[in-house]
C-alpha cells in the first residue's frame, strides 16, 4: 500500500502516516539498533589499521578528535528531531531549512553512503564466516566470498522487509555478542601488556598519545595526518543517526531518538578509546609482523592480533567481527529504506518508493531497491579486486562529512530565531551544531584536496584524457558519487510527478519556530 497523506494544518506540507509501525521501539531498543548500525567490532577491524598508518601512536587522540564533531552533530539531530520527527531526517530537515534542491542533494548523499557501505559489510561478513569455520581457502576465493556476501545482503534485506520488531530482537542479541567479544579481546590485550610475558611489540601507554598538538611536532604528520585520521574516525563513528531515521517507529518520537543518539556517541567513544589504546599498546605501530602499520594487515588487524593474544580462543574475535558486519548490514538498510520512503512520500523521487507493506508496516519498494542496488554495487566492486575496499572506506568518509555537516548547518539556520533569544538555545541549537559543522566542513575540503593527489588511494590514479592530469582513485569514487546526484536531480525536477516537490509544494521551507520544550 502507499502511505496515506494529507496536508498538515498551518504548514502546507504533505504530512503522512507513512505506513510504518509507530511506537514499536523503546529507548533501549533504539539504542541497540543505533550501536549495531555503527558496527564497532567491524569498524575497528576494517579501519584501525588505516588510522594507525596515518597517525601512528596518535591514534587514540584521533579517536577523540573524531568524536567531537559527532557529539556536536548529535545535538543538531536531537533538536531537529524534536521539532520535525520525520524518518527522512537529513533530507527532510535540510529541505525545510534551505529548500528542495539542497534537501534532495543531501538525501542523495546520505542514501548513497549507506548503499555503498553495504558492499564492504557483505565482504567482511562473508570472509569472516569462512575464517570462523576454518575455510581459509574459501575466504581468499573471490567468487565464493562474493556469492556468500550477496546471500548476506539478500537475507538482511528480507529481515528488514519482514518487520521492525524482528529487526529489533535480532539486533539486541547481536549487539550483546559483539560487546562481550570486544570486552574479551580488550581484557586479553591489557592482561598481556601489563603481565610478565608482554609481547616484544608492545609499547608503554603515554600521555602524548592523547595530545592533539603532537600532530604538529616532529614526526607528527601535521594537518594531513590529522584530517585523514579524522575522516577515518568519522567513518568508524558513523551510523548512530540510524536512531533518528526510526523516529516515527519509536515511542515518544520527539525526545527518545535524540537522547539515544547522544548516548550512542558517548558509548562509542568509550568503546573505541579502550580498544584503540589496548591494540596500539599490545601490537605497536611497526610496519611488519603484527604491527598496526603493516599495510598487509590494514584491512583486518583484529584477526592478526587476536590470533596471538587469544591463541585457540581467537574465534571470539572472528565471531565479533562477523556478527558486527551482519548486524550492520541489516541496520544500514533500515535508514536508507526509510530515507527513500520519505523522499517518495514527498514526491522527491518516484512515488512507488512510498509503498509500505500492509501487514509488516515496513517500506516495500524502498527496501527491495536498496538491497538490489547494494548487491549490484557489491558485485561490481568485487570484480575490481580487494584493494578497492580501502578506497571505499575513505570515499564514504567524505560523504559522511558532507551530509552530517549540512545537517548541522540546517539546525543553526532552522532555529535562528530561537538562537537569537540566547540562553540554552544559543548553545544546543547554535554554537555546538555550528562548531560541529565547521569541523566537518574543514575535514571535507581538506580531505577532498588531498584526495586529488595521484598517489592517494590503493587503486592508483586516473589520467584526464587530453590534459594529462592524474586524479586519485578515492577522489574519483567519493566526489564522483556525490556529484552524480546533480544530473539525476535535474532529470527528476523536470518530471511532472516530482515538480510539486521541487516547487516547494509538498515540503515547505519553514519559517523558524520554537521547538517544543
Amino acid at each position: 500500500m502507499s502511505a496515506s497523506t494529507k496536508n498538515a494544518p498551518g504548514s502546507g506540507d504533505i504530512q503522512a502516516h507513512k505506513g510504518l509501525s509507530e511506537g514499536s521501539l523503546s529507548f533501549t531498543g533504539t539504542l541497540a539498533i543505533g550501536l549495531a548500525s555503527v558496527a564497532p567490532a567491524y569498524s575497528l577491524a576494517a579501519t584501525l589499521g588505516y588510522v594507525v598508518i596515518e597517525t601512528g601512536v596518535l591514534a587514540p587522540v584521533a579517536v577523540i578528535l573524531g568524536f567531537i564533531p559527532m557529539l556536536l552533530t548529535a545535538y543538531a539531530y536531537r533538536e531537529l528531531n524534536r521539532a520535525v520527527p520525520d524518518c527522512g531526517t537529513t533530507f527532510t530537515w535540510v529541505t525545510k531549512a534551505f529548500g528542495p534542491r539542497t534537501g534532495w542533494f543531501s538525501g542523495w548523499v546520505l542514501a548513497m553512503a549507506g548503499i555503498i557501505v553495504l558492499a564492504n559489510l557483505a565482504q567482511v561478513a562473508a570472509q569472516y564466516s569462512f575464517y570462523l569455520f576454518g575455510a581459509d581457502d574459501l575466504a581468499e576465493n573471490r567468487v565464493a566470498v562474493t556469492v556468500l556476501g550477496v546471500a548476506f545482503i539478500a537475507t538482511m534485506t528480507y529481515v528488514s522487509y519482514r518487520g521492525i520488531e524482528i529487526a529489533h530482537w535480532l539486533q539486541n542479541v547481536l549487539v550483546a555478542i559483539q560487546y562481550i567479544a570486544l570486552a574479551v579481546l580488550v581484557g586479553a590485550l591489557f592482561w598481556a601488556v601489563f603481565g610478565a610475558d608482554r609481547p616484544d611489540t608492545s609499547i608503554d601507554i603515554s600521555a602524548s598519545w592523547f595530545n592533539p598538538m603532537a600532530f604538529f611536532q616532529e614526526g607528527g604528520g601535521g594537518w594531513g595526518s590529522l584530517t585523514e585520521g579524522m575522516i577515518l574516525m568519522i567513518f568508524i563513528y558513523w551510523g548512530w543517526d540510524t536512531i533518528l531515521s526510526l523516529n516515527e517507529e519509536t515511542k515518544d518520537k520527539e525526545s527518545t531518538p535524540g537522547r539515544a543518539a547522544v548516548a550512542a556517541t558517548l558509548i562509542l567513544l568509550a568503546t573505541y578509546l579502550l580498544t584503540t589504546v589496548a591494540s596500539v599498546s599490545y601490537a605497536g605501530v611497526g610496519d611488519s609482523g603484527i604491527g598496526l602499520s603493516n599495510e598487509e594487515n590494514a584491512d583486518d588487524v583484529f584477526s592478526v592480533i587476536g590470533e596471538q593474544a587469544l591463541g585457540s580462543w581467537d574465534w571470539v574475535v572472528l565471531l565479533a567481527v562477523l556478527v558486527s558486519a551482519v548486524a550492520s548490514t541489516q541496520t544500514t538498510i533500515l535508514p536508507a529504506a526509510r530515507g527513500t520512503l520519505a523522499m517518495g512520500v514527498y514526491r522527491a523521487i518516484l512515488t512507488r518508493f512510498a509503498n509500505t507493506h500492509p501487514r509488516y508496516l515496513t517500506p516495500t519498494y524502498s527496501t527491495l531497491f536498496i538491497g538490489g542496488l547494494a548487491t549490484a554495487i557489491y558485485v561490481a566492486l568485487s570484480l575490481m579486486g580487494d584493494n578497492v575496499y580501502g578506497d571505499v572506506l575513505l570515499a564514504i568518509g567524505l560523504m559522511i562529512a558532507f551530509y552530517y555537516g549540512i545537517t548541522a548547518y540546517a539546525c543553526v539556520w532552522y532555529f535562528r530565531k530561537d538562537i537569537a533569544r540566547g540562553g540554552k538555545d544559543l548553545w544546543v541549537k547554535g554554537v555546538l551544531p555550528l562548531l560541529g559543522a565547521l569541523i566537518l566542513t574543514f575535514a571535507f575540503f581538506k580531505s577532498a584536496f588531498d584526495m586529488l593527489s595521484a598517489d592517494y588511494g590503493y587503486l592508483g590514479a586516473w589520467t584526464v584524457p587530453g590534459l594529462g592530469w592524474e586524479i586519485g582513485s578515492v577522489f574519483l569514487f567519493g566526489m564522483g558519487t556525490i556529484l552524480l546526484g546533480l544530473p539525476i536531480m535535474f532529470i527528476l525536477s523536470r518530471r511532472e510527478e516530482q515538480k510539486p516537490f521541487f516547487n516547494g509544494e509538498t515540503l515547505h521551507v519553514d519559517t523558524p519556530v520554537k521547538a517544543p520544550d
Side-chain angles (χ1 to χ4, degrees):
M1 68 178 182
S2 297
S4 59
T5 60
K6 64 179 182 177
N7 287 332
S11 73
D13 291 345
I14 287 181
Q15 283 291 328
H17 169 67
K18 297 187 179 73
L20 300 172
S21 181
E22 297 181 359
S24 297
L25 298 174
S26 64
F27 173 85
T28 54
T30 306
L31 179 62
I33 290 177
L35 292 174
S37 186
V38 175
Y42 152 74
S43 297
L44 282 166
T47 315
L48 182 58
Y50 295 108
V51 173
V52 173
I53 288 172
E54 297 295 341
T55 64
V57 294
L58 298 179
V61 76
V63 171
I64 298 171
L65 292 175
F67 163 75
I68 293 171
M70 292 300 97
L71 179 64
L72 299 177
T73 305
Y75 278 107
Y77 273 75
R78 186 188 71 174
E79 297 305 318
L80 286 166
N81 180 76
R82 292 178 67 198
V84 188
D86 189 281
C87 69
T89 60
T90 291
F91 156 72
T92 303
W93 301 331
V94 175
T95 298
K96 295 185 78 63
F98 300 133
R101 283 167 176 77
T102 308
W104 190 99
F105 191 66
S106 302
W108 160 265
V109 176
L110 186 158
M112 290 309 299
I115 292 168
I116 292 170
V117 80
L118 283 171
N120 211 1
L121 291 166
Q123 176 82 358
V124 171
Q127 284 188 318
Y128 273 77
S129 295
F130 289 130
Y131 284 137
L132 184 63
F133 292 102
D136 291 13
D137 289 343
L138 289 177
E140 302 301 324
N141 185 302
R142 188 181 303 177
V143 174
V145 170
T146 302
V147 169
L148 185 56
V150 169
F152 273 122
I153 294 176
T155 302
M156 293 300 103
T157 299
Y158 173 74
V159 172
S160 300
Y161 182 92
R162 187 61 177 76
I164 193 66
E165 289 85 0
I166 293 177
H168 166 212
W169 175 85
L170 178 63
Q171 294 307 326
N172 283 339
V173 173
L174 296 180
V175 166
I177 293 172
Q178 195 175 161
Y179 269 86
I180 290 170
L182 278 176
V184 170
L185 175 63
V186 170
L189 295 180
F190 278 130
W191 181 269
V193 167
F194 293 110
D197 298 320
R198 58 187 291 173
D200 295 337
T201 57
S202 66
I203 52 180
D204 293 330
I205 299 171
S206 169
S208 64
W209 294 5
F210 306 92
N211 178 16
M213 298 310 297
F215 279 106
F216 308 102
Q217 297 171 3
E218 185 177 354
W223 285 109
S225 293
L226 187 153
T227 54
E228 288 167 20
M230 278 189 64
I231 282 288
L232 287 164
M233 287 310 308
I234 286 170
F235 171 80
I236 289 181
Y237 281 108
W238 174 48
W240 54 265
D241 52 310
T242 293
I243 292 169
L244 284 302
S245 71
L246 301 174
N247 48 21
E248 297 188 43
E249 296 156 275
T250 305
K251 297 173 184 176
D252 193 11
K253 63 183 181 181
E254 289 83 7
S255 63
T256 298
R259 291 189 296 112
V262 173
T265 59
L266 294 171
I267 292 171
L268 290 168
L269 172 65
T271 303
Y272 291 160
L273 200 54
L274 279 172
T275 308
T276 300
V277 170
S279 299
V280 171
S281 181
Y282 177 86
V285 296
D287 58 5
S288 61
I290 67 169
L292 296 181
S293 292
N294 186 344
E295 292 191 4
E296 293 183 3
N297 306 326
D299 59 350
D300 186 12
V301 294
F302 279 0
S303 65
V304 177
I305 62 176
E307 182 178 359
Q308 179 161 322
L310 297 173
S312 62
W313 283 81
D314 65 335
W315 61 267
V316 172
V317 176
L318 299 178
L319 179 64
V321 178
L322 168 60
V323 165
S324 182
V326 170
S328 190
T329 301
Q330 193 255 319
T331 52
T332 302
I333 294 170
L334 293 176
R338 279 146 185 79
T340 50
L341 169 73
M343 294 179 82
V345 167
Y346 295 118
R347 304 178 196 171
I349 55 178
L350 305 183
T351 53
R352 70 189 66 172
F353 281 91
N355 293 343
T356 54
H357 197 283
R359 178 183 174 189
Y360 304 144
L361 303 179
T362 55
T364 51
Y365 188 86
S366 289
T367 300
L368 296 176
F369 177 85
I370 296 299
L373 182 57
T375 299
I377 291 174
Y378 172 49
V379 172
L381 291 176
S382 295
L383 294 175
M384 298 173 68
D386 293 338
N387 286 341
V388 70
Y389 293 105
D391 288 0
V392 166
L393 295 181
L394 292 165
I396 291 173
L398 203 60
M399 300 178 209
I400 299 165
F402 176 88
Y403 87 77
Y404 274 173
I406 200 165
T407 304
Y409 283 123
C411 177
V412 176
W413 185 250
Y414 186 82
F415 292 116
R416 57 192 183 277
K417 287 189 176 179
D418 291 7
I419 294 168
R421 285 193 283 268
K424 179 182 177 182
D425 285 345
L426 171 65
W427 290 96
V428 298
K429 298 176 183 177
V431 174
L432 298 182
L434 181 60
L435 284 175
L438 291 173
I439 293 171
L440 289 166
T441 301
F442 172 77
F444 175 85
F445 283 107
K446 180 64 171 65
S447 295
F449 178 78
D450 291 342
M451 289 173 185
L452 277 170
S453 173
D455 59 358
Y456 194 106
Y458 298 88
L459 287 181
W462 176 72
T463 303
V464 180
L467 297 177
W469 297 342
E470 290 188 329
I471 299 176
S473 55
V474 178
F475 182 88
L476 285 174
F477 195 82
M479 291 302 293
T481 301
I482 291 171
L483 296 177
L484 179 61
L486 293 176
I488 295 175
M489 180 175 67
F490 175 77
I491 293 170
L492 286 174
S493 69
R494 301 185 69 82
R495 296 184 78 248
E496 289 300 322
E497 188 180 62
Q498 277 65 60
K499 281 185 178 179
F501 169 77
F502 287 100
N503 291 336
E505 298 169 11
T506 61
L507 190 58
H508 285 195
V509 177
D510 265 1
T511 300
V513 292
K514 184 172 174 58
D517 293 322

